[in-house]
Amino acid sequence: MNKPHSSVAPDEIFERLKQNLMSYMHDPDIALVTAAYRFSATYHADQKRASGEPYIVHPLEVANILTLIKVDMASIIAAILHDTVEDTDATLATIKQEFGDDVATLVDSLTKISKIKFRSNQERLAENFRKMVVAMAKDLRVILIKLADRLHNMRTIEALEERKRHRIANETLDIYSPLATRLGIYGIKSELEDLCFRQLKYDLYSEIAQKIALKKTERQGFIDEVGDVLDQELRRYGFTAKVSGRPKHFYSIYKKMVDRGLKFEDIHDLFAFRIIVNSIKDCYEALGVVHAMWKPMPGRFKDYIAMPKANLYQSLHTTVIRPSGKPVEVQIRTREMHEQSEYGVAAHALYKDNVGKASSEKDKSDIRSFDWLRQIMQWQSELKDPEEFLEAVRVDLFEEEIFVFTPHGDVIRLPLGGTAIDFAFSVHSDVGLRCVGAKVNGRLTSFKKAIKSGDIVEIVTSPNQKPNKDWLNYVQTSKARNKIRSFLRGEKRERSLSMGNEIFRNELQSRGIDVEKFLKSKEIASLLKIAKENSLNELLIAFGYGKINAKRLLDRFLSDTPTGEVAVFPVSKSKQTRILVSGLDDVLVNFARCCNPLPGEEIIGFVTRGRGVTVHRAACSRVFEMDVLRRINVAWKDDNSTTKSHPCYIRVSSYDKKGVLAEITNVISAAGANITEANIRSQDLTAVHDFCIAIANMQQLQEIIKKIEMIEAVIKIERRSLVSAKSRRGAKR
Ligand code: MN
């Protein structure tokens, strides 16, 4: 663990900074860095950190951390100045004058971000997070400086009071360590996580630290032994390789214990071995040597060289089982890959100007890794709800990913646990919206099942398919989640619109107002004004959602309107409530579309929210799903006197004989009923006839059923919920 350099004088820290700069910059402008140091030291002169040391120590150490990532000179200068505008009298204009536009812009962004405070209020937190991510996404250097700033603050956090320490540690785990992971800066990520872990779960942290320290000699012996064997064997094959072993960082051990429900003692891979070789070819050859020595554990080999992670991480990973039976993880990579994994790709091409325009092939691959940044920018314009944005960014900042293939061999990256639905949406939104199933490695599989790295996935689509709410339980990617949500939102709007339309019409009719005339009249405008809605559609949707109560609105509207004018809309005759609702007068009644009750049939009513009473057949299977408390007694007003017909769905199965269909339809029309829909299929020797018949009452239906049963070729007749697949889906909701 890094200790705060509390007793070190600022000049010494500055000396170290100069050394560090010279270690990776060709010809660093030392005069400029010195000027920045003087400037910052002067402005921060009377300030002290919570620890009591001079404030200037902090910006200098931040700059030192940044030298590990090999950032450019402007970032170093900006790091030294990063708190001056925020905390001292220094102005942006002065900085611009002394250090130029580039530095000033960086300092300005950093100042703005530091003003964003994360408080417990979830909504504000989300909105602030959005602001911060967007500010950082504009220039990657801002993220890097912010990360270094946070790392130094975490290293020196002990001086703060407990509540503040916890808040900062939580925020760091939520935002900064995922960002470090995304940028592939594992050196900073691991240190941040361990520092946070120590603050948030001190007991567990010390337990793990102690246990690792306790067996230190034993473990060092183990590290030496395995390391030596690997080293000797590689040498025997002529490799110049550097072998090292180290314990994994504490937070990753803790996470493994929590995620897999393991005790510390049950975790075998507390150590990882690393083999660093000279070339990519050597990586694969060294892997061969390791696998020849010890048996590889199936399913644990990962080739991040052929398929780098989104953050450009490259390495071969394998877990082998030693003769003792204990598994050991081995990572094999080149020196360049190693440096990149510790301090990220920052050293290469990720400065402002390079994001978005690629000059060489190498740059292209670097820039591809910042697709997620571009994605973030896109989301922030698409996702208006800050919480959805926060969720999207958080989900996609997490590191674990798998690689799967399209049938054409294209690689698709998915988060661990991703399903074929995620895959489908990654290929194309339209594929996602229409997916009905997936072939994984040629076999038809549930599209809700998690897919594995290396699987070849082919999506089966159907033009009739639509996403449903359940899908949200089976997706991992933000892209899929957002697309499904926006689809469902649109659909809900549509449903609310038609529901609202129905409510409104019923309400008007029950007051004896002619609907069509009313809708075309100028009255609508004044109604909208009262409702504070912009259009009739919006008003109807508001009725459908239950946001506005149509009855109350009309009451108010009509009481505002001079009595004479209501007469403009004559009573319409179409309103005929055929249902008596116990204890209620003048109530809106709907017939449930799942069972379509017929007059004379035993029925049950349910009080709904904003839609009056829905009437089901007493025998309808949905009745058992309904809330008993909302049940209400209903009865048919007059069984046989009305002429209005109800849709009724029946299915007749028969032997596939000539003339059967004609016989059935004859029976139906002879009974005085109309067929409104028919669907006939034959299969082997039987035929299935689905009909929707307009039926006046139960008696008529019973008569028809009896007559159809008497037809010789008929095997069975049943009453059904709905006639075809199309209408079945329509009524499910
Ligand atoms: Mn700072």
Side-chain angles (χ1 to χ4, degrees), residues 91-156:
T91 64
L92 212 56
T94 324
I95 289 179
K96 199 168 177 175
Q97 203 180 341
E98 308 241 334
F99 303 99
D101 277 354
D102 198 16
V103 171
T105 311
L106 286 172
V107 173
D108 188 31
S109 300
L110 290 161
T111 308
K112 281 184 185 140
I113 291 172
S114 71
K115 284 193 181 127
I116 300 171
K117 289 283 178 285
F118 291 87
R119 295 271 181 255
S120 50
N121 181 327
Q122 185 63 23
E123 202 174 305
R124 283 235 316 271
L125 180 123
E127 184 51 43
N128 285 340
F129 180 77
R130 175 195 187 115
K131 277 191 209 149
M132 186 175 86
V133 170
V134 170
M136 293 198 296
K138 281 187 194 144
D139 187 339
L140 274 167
R141 293 176 302 177
V142 176
I143 309 186
L144 299 175
I145 299 169
K146 204 58 204 153
L147 273 177
D149 179 33
R150 180 51 60 106
L151 178 58
H152 187 248
N153 284 334
M154 281 304 302
R155 281 179 184 173
T156 54

Side-chain angles (χ1 to χ4, degrees), residues 201-396:
K201 299 248 185 301
Y202 185 74
D203 292 347
L204 280 165
Y205 174 90
S206 4
E207 193 188 322
I208 293 177
Q210 263 169 28
K211 281 181 174 162
I212 285 193
L214 257 181
K215 298 190 173 174
K216 198 171 180 184
T217 32
E218 187 188 321
R219 291 187 199 283
Q220 197 53 51
F222 166 78
I223 287 180
D224 291 346
E225 183 198 322
V226 175
D228 285 351
V229 176
L230 279 172
D231 197 44
Q232 277 167 25
E233 195 69 4
L234 287 166
R235 216 179 294 249
R236 202 159 69 85
Y237 283 93
F239 286 99
T240 36
K242 200 178 153 240
V243 179
S244 62
R246 50 151 200 135
K248 295 198 163 167
H249 74 286
F250 298 168
Y251 186 67
S252 72
I253 294 172
Y254 161 73
K255 262 194 17 203
K256 195 169 257 181
M257 287 164 64
V258 174
D259 291 351
R260 306 208 186 139
L262 295 173
K263 282 199 239 133
F264 178 85
E265 285 68 24
D266 297 329
I267 294 184
H268 297 299
D269 48 352
L270 292 168
F271 300 88
F273 287 86
R274 213 168 260 159
I275 299 173
I276 293 171
V277 293
N278 293 327
S279 67
I280 290 178
K281 185 170 145 272
D282 284 359
C283 289
Y284 290 100
E285 284 173 7
L287 177 78
V289 174
V290 174
H291 281 179
M293 275 165 76
W294 296 317
K295 274 214 161 46
M297 210 157 132
R300 294 291 294 272
F301 169 64
K302 285 173 198 132
D303 186 347
Y304 294 120
I305 291 180
M307 284 179 282
K309 288 193 185 185
N311 61 21
L312 299 193
Y313 176 84
Q314 285 192 299
S315 193
L316 298 177
H317 287 191
T318 184
T319 300
V320 290
I321 301 167
R322 294 174 55 243
S324 64
K326 285 196 176 159
V328 167
E329 189 185 323
V330 181
Q331 304 172 349
I332 305 170
R333 54 180 86 151
T334 65
R335 171 148 308 281
E336 196 195 0
M337 291 170 190
H338 180 62
E339 272 167 18
Q340 184 164 303
S341 79
E342 287 295 294
Y343 298 112
V345 288
H348 307 300
L350 54 84
Y351 300 127
K352 195 171 140 200
D353 292 345
N354 284 325
V355 177
K357 53 177 179 184
S359 45
S360 68
E361 270 311 301
K362 170 72 181 155
D363 282 354
K364 253 182 215 155
S365 75
D366 282 348
I367 283 151
R368 195 195 47 206
S369 71
F370 301 110
D371 280 353
W372 62 275
L373 265 184
R374 228 164 287 134
Q375 182 75 70
I376 285 174
M377 298 303 276
Q378 198 186 325
W379 280 334
Q380 82 95 22
S381 59
E382 275 174 13
L383 299 177
K384 293 286 172 259
D385 178 356
E387 293 207 28
E388 273 180 32
F389 175 75
L390 178 67
E391 192 194 308
V393 174
R394 269 189 186 157
V395 166
D396 276 55

Side-chain angles (χ1 to χ4, degrees), residues 58 82-83 149:
H58 167 66
H82 80 267
D83 282 331
D149 179 33

Side-chain angles (χ1 to χ4, degrees), residues 545-575:
Y545 273 131
K547 197 178 112 196
I548 296 180
N549 182 307
K551 188 173 160 53
R552 251 179 270 146
L553 179 71
L554 276 171
D555 281 346
R556 218 183 120 199
F557 170 72
L558 293 173
S559 69
D560 285 356
T561 313
T563 1
E565 286 181 37
V566 186
V568 173
F569 314 109
V571 175
S572 80
K573 296 235 173 68
S574 64
K575 173 76 180 169

